[in-house]
Amino acid sequence: MEPRVLSIQSHVVFGYVGNKSAVFPLQTLGFDVDAINSVQFSNHTGYPNGFKGEVMDGDKLLTIVEGLESNGLLNNKHTHLLTGYIGSASFLSAVLQIINKLKTTSPDFKYVCDPVLGDNGKLYVPEELVEIYKKDVLKLAYMVTPNSFECEKLTGITITDMASATTACEALHALGPTVVVITSMHFEDEDGKLTIMVSDKSLPENARWAVTFDRIEGHYTGTGDLTAALLLAWDHNTSDESPQFPKWKVVLEKVANTMKKVIKKTFETNPGGELRLVQSRKDIEGGGGWESGTINARPIT
């Protein structure tokens, strides 16, 4: 079955967040993508003069999916569902209905959940969504990709080092997901660096890996959306080929080296601005040149 993703995320006309940050990389890596835009804004919400646009409600989302279903376009079509920013409980409830529908129409699909709740100590969404993710959503997910703040909100565990990150991963596994990826951690003893960690409870060995790399100056929107898309793609496209190249070592190195090159290219040409995704096409396609890359994954025991 050829890989095909149903991606339910935000959309901006100008810039790269949500589906604009996820669809192009997924297509570049060989995936057909059916995108549903949870919001359609002129630009991301951080611009100084605000933004204009529309927010889709849960009923409209279900109407679109009904159109797909009535034309047979959900029947065993999708290998993956990817969700990102969801701003209301009613919309998240509609997404849950879609997940259960896909379990019937595409029983082998994998749900990759990027629980966009907030960052840097601040929630972007109503507090009630945290409990819905914990109680209803994560138990249906194959992979969950929170940042450090989101992981702390979902688990109640403060992440200060790799030991507490491992404990947080175990707590998320207990809520359902097979694969947990904490996509951005900052430790006090590693100033100026970022760490990504993966934990796969289905593996008897080589189950946890981490990469640490230098943080590039500036604030870049859409990086979490890009990271989740790359994780989905390289998880699907990578096999556990040999003891020398365990699957998650390869996946993390491809994702981290790609992210580094995209952000570096953005910093060099548009510091702190919109991601230079199109200009990074070859880096995305080649996994950031991971075999000769400077970011190497290490096992976590």
Side-chain angles (χ1 to χ4, degrees), residues 6-10 17-19 22 36 38 81-88 91-92 95 111-117 125 129 133 137 145 150 224-225 228:
L6 179 62
S7 181
I8 304 175
Q9 302 196 56
S10 59
V17 299
N19 270 329
I36 299 177
S38 59
L81 170 68
L82 173 63
T83 61
Y85 174 77
I86 294 170
S88 70
F91 195 91
L92 190 52
V95 169
Y111 172 33
V112 176
C113 173
D114 183 11
V116 182
L117 301 173
V125 300
L129 266 65
Y133 274 104
V137 178
T145 64
E150 292 159 347
D225 309 313

Side-chain angles (χ1 to χ4, degrees), residues 88-115:
S88 70
S90 62
F91 195 91
L92 190 52
S93 175
V95 169
L96 285 168
Q97 293 181 56
I98 292 168
I99 295 170
N100 288 317
K101 190 181 295 291
L102 285 172
K103 284 184 174 293
T104 300
T105 61
S106 302
D108 295 326
F109 91 104
K110 291 182 176 179
Y111 172 33
V112 176
C113 173
D114 183 11

